[in-house]
Amino acid sequence: MWWDERDKLFYSGAIGRTPLFDTLDPPPLSLWSFKPDGTGSGTWAEVIPAGDAAWENLTRTTFGYQASDGNTALVLGGMATYATGPEISQDTLQPGLLQFDMRTRRFTNSSATSFNTNGTGRHGEMHFVPSFGPNGLFLILGGENSLESKYSLAEINLYDAATHRWYNQTASGNVPRGRQEFCVAGVNSTEGTYEIFLYGGHNGKFGPEAVSYDEIYILTLPAFTWIKVQYPPQRPRGGHTCNAIGGGQIISIGGYEANSTIYAGPHVWDTLFNSTDPFAQGLGVFNMTSLAWEDHYTANAPAYVQSELIRTFYADNPQNGSQFSTNELRELFQTTNFAPVETPRPKRTDFRTPDTPDPPSDQTGAIAGGVVGGLAVFAVIAGIVFYFYKKTKRRSAVKQHLDSYDDVVNTTPGPQSPVEADPGAQVKMAQLEGQDIQEMEQQPTEMPAQGWFQEGRGQDARLELEGNYKY
């Protein structure tokens, strides 16, 4: 299911399979839209009907990598099975990258050999990251090419849907083991980073060989570093979905546990869902700032702020983010699309209780208030005039001081050298009119660059002082 951000509707039907508990044949290949009406209902409409020429060279798949950016939907690889189309007699991995343009409502199919030699894959995740590159980037994570061949989560494939370019980047840190049917979701922080949450998954086997993961990892960008979250494992699962739902909240929906007690035969699905989900109603909410599961959802949550774990990583590794596989990829990540974080305005508070009567109102009070208000306006105007008069005179004094500042401190910058001053020098403040001269004796301190790009910094690079001072 894909979300159209402009038209506020969902697309469905072109991808997927019949339910595991249903014996009906899959419906003919077609594309439908659903328009929510805001009341819990909505309207279905057939966008591309069955039998349309658009389907002549396309096959419905399941278990592929898919994501959308609000304008374009992508499906990479996947499988064609008896449950995706009545014409399929044998499970087959499908190669290629299917792209759906929501504006033209047209499908195109292209090669995915830049992803791997065969252009195939299944049971992994694709995630759209809007925060980097002129158009945002799709990241392809994990999955497999066969039951015995899991893709490493250290190798991150990226795709730019606007330019049709593929990139590959090696991730470092505490890299998760290869797995399938995990979930991912992502949020951009107030510190100019993007964190991707990875939860759960399994090794693709059932019965005695089953391994179901109850682990959470965070892939932080632009550092491309995996960080494992430490918490008591109590909720192993696979086959679930995850979504960012505001602030730093991630919701996990559904799933199952592939454990050793599950019957590993052809009817595995008959026993797979017999266990009770530790999450109430199958819903779990994870807080990306506190790095803890919560039993509630917070509406209108504030913007996501990095956890202490992520902040410590970037503080200890200020040059992370510069080890890109190519200069072209580095340049993409130097173009950022972080929306400005708005500071909530304090709400006006009425401290009167319901029993407190309204203050009396009469003409005398109105006249007195008008007189006082007029005097206040006159005082403000006089103050503004006096302020600009003093500011003009002080600007002249400051200019004279700045013209001679080069004689006090050497300000000639090197290619990558910080500004340095004579350790024994005394930095003096200019005497402004009406103020005393103050003299400070202090050793110069180098300001370390805390922006994530140390080479070729773009406009979005940031510098911070040591400590907790933020500007």
Side-chain angles (χ1 to χ4, degrees):
M1 186 171 287
W2 309 316
W3 171 247
D4 185 330
E5 181 64 30
R6 189 193 71 177
D7 296 337
K8 308 301 181 187
L9 53 81
F10 294 95
Y11 289 101
S12 181
I15 301 298
R17 54 164 292 162
T18 55
L20 295 169
F21 310 104
D22 197 342
T23 58
L24 298 177
D25 290 334
L29 183 57
S30 60
L31 182 68
W32 291 74
S33 69
F34 178 78
K35 180 78 171 180
D37 62 6
T39 66
S41 185
T43 304
W44 284 98
E46 191 172 35
V47 178
I48 304 178
D52 190 275
W55 307 119
E56 289 181 0
N57 299 313
L58 298 179
T59 301
R60 179 190 283 133
T61 61
T62 186
F63 302 137
Y65 304 74
Q66 60 174 315
S68 66
D69 62 6
N71 295 294
T72 302
L74 298 181
V75 181
L76 173 64
M79 290 184 63
T81 76
Y82 71 93
T84 63
E87 75 283 2
I88 306 298
S89 59
Q90 183 177 359
D91 293 358
T92 308
L93 287 173
Q94 295 295 303
L97 179 68
L98 183 66
Q99 186 165 327
F100 175 66
D101 188 324
M102 299 179 188
R103 305 286 76 85
T104 63
R105 291 185 168 180
R106 293 176 62 89
F107 284 97
T108 55
N109 205 348
S110 58
S111 170
T113 54
S114 294
F115 171 64
N116 64 26
T117 303
N118 301 320
T120 59
R122 63 179 181 178
H123 294 311
E125 287 290 331
M126 180 186 291
H127 180 72
F128 178 68
V129 178
S131 304
F132 298 101
N135 313 296
L137 293 163
F138 289 87
L139 268 66
I140 295 91
L141 302 168
E144 63 180 9
N145 207 16
S146 70
L147 287 177
E148 304 301 329
S149 178
K150 299 288 187 293
Y151 293 131
S152 171
L153 282 160
E155 296 301 318
I156 311 297
N157 289 277
L158 304 95
Y159 183 73
D160 186 333
T163 63
H164 307 290
R165 291 293 305 276
W166 284 90
Y167 304 91
N168 182 271
Q169 174 66 31
T170 300
S172 59
N174 194 343
V175 180
R177 288 170 288 184
R179 62 193 65 198
Q180 67 181 55
E181 293 197 303
F182 52 92
C183 76
V184 298
V187 288
N188 60 282
S189 76
T190 55
E191 288 81 5
T193 63
Y194 191 93
E195 271 71 67
I196 297 177
F197 163 95
L198 182 151
Y199 171 47
H202 59 87
N203 67 342
K205 299 181 180 181
F206 301 101
E209 298 182 71
V211 177
S212 190
Y213 299 115
D214 185 359
E215 300 173 320
I216 292 175
Y217 290 84
I218 294 173
L219 177 65
T220 181
L221 307 176
F224 279 95
T225 298
W226 287 104
I227 298 173
K228 187 174 183 180
V229 177
Q230 301 298 331
Y231 72 98
Q234 299 174 340
R235 309 169 182 90
R237 69 191 54 234
H240 52 306
T241 62
C242 291
N243 296 277
I245 53 173
Q249 299 173 107
I250 305 292
I251 187 170
S252 170
I253 305 174
Y256 59 86
E257 181 183 356
N259 57 45
S260 59
T261 64
I262 299 299
Y263 169 67
H267 302 289
V268 59
W269 306 111
D270 294 340
T271 59
L272 192 60
F273 295 96
N274 288 343
S275 59
T276 301
D277 195 327
F279 286 134
Q281 305 299 319
L283 303 176
V285 177
F286 188 81
N287 188 311
M288 288 284 283
T289 298
S290 65
L291 300 182
W293 290 103
E294 297 181 339
D295 59 1
H296 63 278
Y297 160 73
T298 302
N300 300 318
Y304 160 61
V305 177
Q306 288 177 342
S307 65
E308 184 63 30
L309 189 65
I310 301 298
R311 286 200 303 271
T312 300
F313 165 76
Y314 279 107
D316 293 343
N317 302 273
Q319 295 187 356
N320 256 284
S322 60
Q323 304 301 317
F324 287 96
S325 59
T326 65
N327 289 331
E328 186 178 2
L329 186 59
R330 178 199 300 276
E331 291 173 1
L332 278 178
F333 272 79
Q334 288 178 343
T335 301
T336 59
N337 305 300
F338 288 94
V341 178
E342 296 184 1
T343 303
R345 296 181 179 180
K347 295 181 179 179
R348 181 177 177 180
T349 304
D350 187 354
F351 292 100
R352 290 181 292 138
T353 65
D355 297 331
T356 303
D358 291 335
S361 174
D362 56 9
Q363 287 187 335
T364 302
I367 294 172
V371 173
V372 173
L375 291 175
V377 171
F378 177 79
V380 170
I381 294 174
I384 292 173
V385 173
F386 180 76
Y387 168 79
F388 281 103
Y389 169 75
K390 297 294 288 182
K391 183 177 181 180
T392 301
K393 296 187 67 178
R394 291 183 180 181
R395 186 183 292 115
S396 177
V398 172
K399 183 178 185 303
Q400 293 177 7
H401 174 68
L402 292 177
D403 290 341
S404 62
Y405 187 70
D406 286 338
D407 296 333
V408 180
V409 179
N410 173 23
T411 59
T412 303
Q416 296 203 9
S417 302
V419 175
E420 297 182 356
D422 182 359
Q426 294 180 346
V427 180
K428 297 185 177 181
M429 297 178 61
Q431 182 177 5
L432 301 180
E433 183 177 339
Q435 297 186 10
D436 295 330
I437 295 178
Q438 294 184 356
E439 186 170 295
M440 298 177 63
E441 184 170 345
Q442 182 177 355
Q443 297 295 328
T445 303
E446 179 180 343
M447 294 189 297
Q450 295 293 335
W452 312 141
F453 301 103
Q454 299 301 309
E455 298 177 16
R457 287 196 296 264
Q459 294 180 352
D460 296 291
R462 305 181 335 186
L463 298 177
E464 296 180 4
L465 293 173
E466 292 181 341
N468 296 320
Y469 303 102
K470 301 281 185 181
Y471 294 92

